[in-house]
Amino acid sequence: VAYDVLRTNSSEVTTTAPGFPFPFTPSSPFPHYTEILTYIHQYANHHNLYKHIHLGKKVTHVAPTDPSSPTTQWLVTVQDTPDDSLVHGSAVLPLAPPTTYKFDAVFTTSGQYGGGPFIPKIPGAETFQGTTLHSSTYKNNSVAKGKDVVVIGIGNSALDIAFDCAGSAKNVFISARHGAAIMCVEDHKGNPFDLWLLTRGFDAGTPEISPAHLRRSPIHQAFLKAGMPEPHPDPAKVGPGMVKDQKTCLSYLNSGKIKVGPGISHLTKDKVVLTDGREIPCDVLIYCTGYDLENTMSFMDKEVMCDVSNYSPSGKYYPNLYKMCMHPRYKTLSMCGLCTTNANEALVGEMQARWQASVLLGKANHPTESDIQQYINERNEMIQKVDPYFPRFIRYVATMDSFATEMGCMPEIKVNNAWKEARRLPKDPEELYHFNLHFGPVVGLHWRLNGPNAWDDTTKAKEYVRQKLVPGAYLPRPAAPFSWAPPAASARL
């Protein structure tokens, strides 16, 4: 389920799957969820994938046939879902019994949100008489019309929903236990910020958003003035909050239509009582509190998960996986996409799957047991010492380049020192190609330019790099601001 105003936080350029540019122009640089769905369908059709995909099936159990073998096969039990039942007139055919299949390897790619909503226990919740919902069931701001709304959380969904509700609500209040690093997905010219952020130079030099950057951010300062708690001084302990349409957001914050404050102490029948003692009128309470990551893998045999389940000092779950995907005991099990990064996590999952498939096929070296344990031990040591906000965080560019190096598909980039020192810009198409690879946004196509499974049309690939992967600093200001409104149904492909 997606809410009506949902758009990606990453731009079209950095969301594009490797080797398959958007066949249509999205309604804004940040595609609407309906456009992403269309894009995925077109990608599947282009690669003739539907013959391999069985829709309407739910995996209920995955277990090794031989738990003692690192190369075990797997038993996967599948059940038809109710939505896939055949309907004839008023009679619904009964579900077929579960079916169990045997496979040589299993890749889980179900993402981080399949475990259901996480809803914290708040004292007095049973006495609250208003409307309660989780962000996973929020659809649009009709639920907020003329009402006092409290949004719990200050992550991306919380901010999307809070600003959507402000268009119809009487008042909106955001309750956050901790301050966040509030950033806008647009830069100062109105172009996508990730075209600056996701570059090799930025990743190597500034892996985290610094407190100094936030002090210069108008949207972050507006949140502080509206009552947001100060973020932790250690950037590793601060989560991001991405806003869209900075002009409208600033208007709501500066006018007082949206206020921000600390966490909740307890609820009464019609109020939220904050930890500082203030009472906030509340007709609608929206939990934007994330999902149960641990339960996401509930279909996996418990003994398999016992090997990898761990918790940070503050109680956040994270899996002990080599390169955040390979099971330390089983070479034939990969859990892709169970990470957080500063880019598109789906593309990280694709690269993880590609790497582990290469290992299984003998096209990339399998890590030694010592390598696996060293990686897991070092990561555990860091998490237990630092207790980061995201214990599953990985740096996008460094991680993807690491996979690419092992698979032999790292792009060759010829950097002219004169570019670094800003003495001159590229002089010809070949120089521009290498310039954009180094200073422009790092996307999935980078690792399809050469080596195994490269894009067939080299000329087209290079032209895409020159035309689309332009460094943020060299993009002109858009002729007109783009619309954040959902595209009309007739415009959706």
Side-chain angles (χ1 to χ4, degrees), residues 363-416:
K363 297 180 179 180
N365 293 330
H366 193 285
T368 65
E369 186 174 340
S370 174
D371 290 336
I372 293 172
Q373 287 307 315
Q374 180 179 353
Y375 178 95
I376 290 175
N377 291 342
E378 288 179 355
R379 190 169 180 87
N380 274 335
E381 183 179 342
M382 180 276 294
I383 290 171
Q384 297 304 316
K385 179 181 178 181
V386 177
D387 192 17
Y389 187 86
F390 289 125
R392 295 173 288 110
F393 181 80
I394 57 174
R395 285 170 58 185
Y396 171 74
V397 176
T399 298
M400 300 286 265
D401 278 352
S402 171
F403 283 128
T405 300
E406 293 191 24
M407 290 188 289
C409 60
M410 184 69 187
E412 180 185 7
I413 307 175
K414 300 175 183 178
V415 180
N416 189 317

Side-chain angles (χ1 to χ4, degrees), residues 91-373:
V92 179
L93 298 181
L95 293 177
T99 304
T100 299
Y101 304 90
K102 183 186 287 188
F103 295 99
D104 293 327
V106 167
F107 287 63
T108 66
T109 58
S110 50
Q112 305 176 56
Y113 309 111
F118 171 73
I119 299 181
K121 294 181 180 178
I122 300 177
E126 70 283 356
T127 67
F128 180 65
Q129 296 179 4
T131 300
T132 301
L133 66 155
H134 186 268
S135 58
S136 59
T137 58
Y138 177 84
K139 190 62 180 170
N140 54 53
N141 64 14
S142 61
V143 70
K145 188 173 183 180
K147 297 180 179 179
D148 289 310
V149 177
V150 174
V151 174
I152 305 176
I154 199 164
N156 299 337
S157 295
L159 299 181
D160 276 353
I161 290 171
F163 285 104
D164 186 39
C165 285
S168 67
K170 180 180 178 183
N171 293 293
V172 176
F173 191 93
I174 299 173
S175 170
R177 291 180 300 163
H178 312 287
I182 306 296
M183 296 173 283
C184 187
V185 297
E186 304 165 85
D187 67 13
H188 61 289
K189 292 190 293 187
N191 291 311
F193 179 60
D194 59 9
L195 302 184
W196 295 74
L197 181 68
L198 300 180
T199 67
R200 288 190 165 84
F202 190 94
D203 185 77
T206 316
E208 294 154 340
I209 300 298
S210 68
H213 171 87
L214 295 177
R215 284 195 292 271
R216 295 192 298 269
S217 166
I219 192 69
H220 183 82
Q221 292 304 312
F223 265 84
L224 290 174
K225 290 178 182 177
M228 182 182 75
E230 282 280 356
H232 196 284
D234 181 354
K237 295 180 180 292
V238 181
M242 305 298 292
V243 301
K244 307 177 181 79
D245 192 0
Q246 180 168 227
K247 182 179 179 180
T248 300
C249 293
L250 287 172
S251 172
Y252 282 141
L253 290 165
N254 294 335
S255 68
K257 184 65 179 288
I258 291 181
K259 293 184 174 66
V260 190
I264 296 173
S265 167
H266 61 278
L267 303 177
T268 66
K269 68 177 184 178
D270 58 0
K271 291 184 178 64
V272 165
V273 182
L274 304 178
T275 53
D276 63 7
R278 280 184 290 164
E279 296 185 352
I280 308 298
C282 182
D283 303 307
V284 180
L285 184 63
I286 305 176
Y287 289 85
C288 298
T289 46
Y291 294 80
D292 186 344
L293 177 66
E294 191 170 5
N295 197 45
T296 296
M297 303 297 292
S298 60
F299 54 80
M300 188 64 68
D301 186 81
K302 287 184 170 54
E303 291 300 315
V304 173
M305 293 307 296
C306 281
D307 288 343
V308 300
S309 296
N310 210 342
Y311 301 86
S312 70
S314 55
K316 295 175 181 175
Y317 174 83
Y318 67 95
N320 282 325
L321 301 169
Y322 179 68
K323 290 187 179 289
M324 290 302 289
C325 63
M326 179 181 279
H327 194 282
R329 194 199 318 182
Y330 300 116
K331 298 179 181 179
T332 52
L333 176 62
S334 182
M335 302 178 185
C336 304
L338 295 181
C339 58
T340 302
T341 185
N342 54 332
N344 188 305
E345 280 132 18
L347 297 184
V348 176
E350 188 262 355
M351 197 68 161
Q352 289 174 326
R354 185 180 170 193
W355 170 77
Q356 185 137 1
S358 297
V359 170
L360 286 173
L361 296 171
K363 297 180 179 180
N365 293 330
H366 193 285
T368 65
E369 186 174 340
S370 174
D371 290 336
I372 293 172
Q373 287 307 315

Side-chain angles (χ1 to χ4, degrees), residues 35-115:
E35 295 169 323
I36 292 294
L37 183 60
T38 296
Y39 175 70
I40 291 171
H41 284 313
Q42 293 181 344
Y43 179 92
N45 285 324
H46 176 79
H47 292 289
N48 198 22
L49 297 179
Y50 278 115
K51 65 182 181 181
H52 304 293
I53 299 172
H54 299 267
L55 299 172
K57 310 292 181 182
K58 180 180 181 180
V59 175
T60 58
H61 194 234
V62 176
T65 59
D66 181 1
S68 65
S69 171
T71 56
T72 181
Q73 292 181 306
W74 296 85
L75 297 175
V76 179
T77 302
V78 177
Q79 171 73 64
D80 287 345
T81 60
D83 290 342
D84 199 48
S85 301
L86 296 176
V87 179
H88 294 278
S90 60
V92 179
L93 298 181
L95 293 177
T99 304
T100 299
Y101 304 90
K102 183 186 287 188
F103 295 99
D104 293 327
V106 167
F107 287 63
T108 66
T109 58
S110 50
Q112 305 176 56
Y113 309 111

